[in-house]
Amino acid sequence: MNKTQLVSELTFKAIRSSGAGGQHVNKVSSKVELSFNVTDSKALRNIERERILRFLANRLNKENILILQCDESRSQHKNKELVVKRFFLLLENALKVPKVRRKTKPKKSAIEKRLKSKKRAALKKMNRRKPNLD
């Protein structure tokens, strides 16, 4: 994954941020929207592209475009930095290969210990009962 090439493939759009505002809010477009076309990217290898398409399937639209937005800051530049950081974090998580889970069996000593504790608990409860005088 080539980060510089990825950044060149990103498209940014500035939008007016929602929420409470003042005199200046209606004039400034501080919210930043990042869009990235996963299928047309030349910075990604085929394996990476497939993994991203699978991992981020619920965040992609019909054209396989990933759209992220940021309006945390009042500054458009700061929002752009934040959304790019978020984008790379998202890609890194998508490209992580999960560890293969190996089935394990409990050790014999652990099984015996468990059974002994169950027996002890059962005896304790048996001794609490009223004695059977038949």
Side-chain angles (χ1 to χ4, degrees):
M1 180 173 74
N2 189 354
K3 285 191 176 187
T4 52
Q5 193 174 0
L6 271 175
V7 171
S8 67
E9 291 179 359
L10 299 176
T11 53
F12 298 97
K13 191 162 85 175
I15 312 164
R16 287 196 189 132
S17 190
S18 64
Q23 298 163 331
H24 195 59
V25 75
N26 296 327
K27 299 183 229 169
V28 180
S29 300
S30 61
K31 183 178 189 178
V32 175
E33 185 179 87
L34 173 146
S35 55
F36 174 67
N37 194 332
V38 180
T39 49
D40 292 346
S41 175
K42 290 172 180 64
L44 298 171
R45 291 178 283 156
N46 286 335
I47 301 163
E48 293 172 334
R49 189 175 298 116
E50 288 170 14
R51 182 166 271 137
I52 289 169
L53 286 171
R54 204 173 331 112
F55 187 80
L56 300 174
N58 59 335
R59 301 192 88 180
L60 299 173
N61 62 13
K62 290 176 185 173
E63 294 86 37
N64 288 331
I65 296 174
L66 174 69
I67 297 172
L68 298 173
Q69 296 176 340
C70 182
D71 62 348
E72 291 173 20
S73 174
R74 290 183 181 188
S75 164
Q76 188 183 107
H77 298 291
K78 185 74 174 167
N79 282 335
K80 188 174 179 181
E81 286 175 25
L82 288 170
V83 81
V84 169
K85 280 183 187 175
R86 233 184 264 159
F87 170 73
F88 281 118
L89 253 171
L90 204 63
L91 283 189
E92 285 171 21
N93 288 335
L95 295 175
K96 276 185 188 171
V97 180
K99 278 187 176 180
V100 178
R101 186 187 179 282
R102 294 190 188 100
K103 288 184 180 179
T104 57
K105 287 185 177 180
K107 295 181 175 136
K108 282 187 180 180
S109 61
I111 293 170
E112 287 174 18
K113 186 178 174 183
R114 189 182 111 258
L115 291 175
K116 279 182 184 177
S117 71
K118 284 179 77 169
K119 278 264 202 278
R120 210 177 304 120
L123 280 171
K124 192 190 302 177
K125 291 180 181 195
M126 280 267 274
N127 291 335
R128 288 181 189 157
R129 289 185 188 164
K130 289 182 181 177
N132 192 1
L133 300 173
D134 286 340

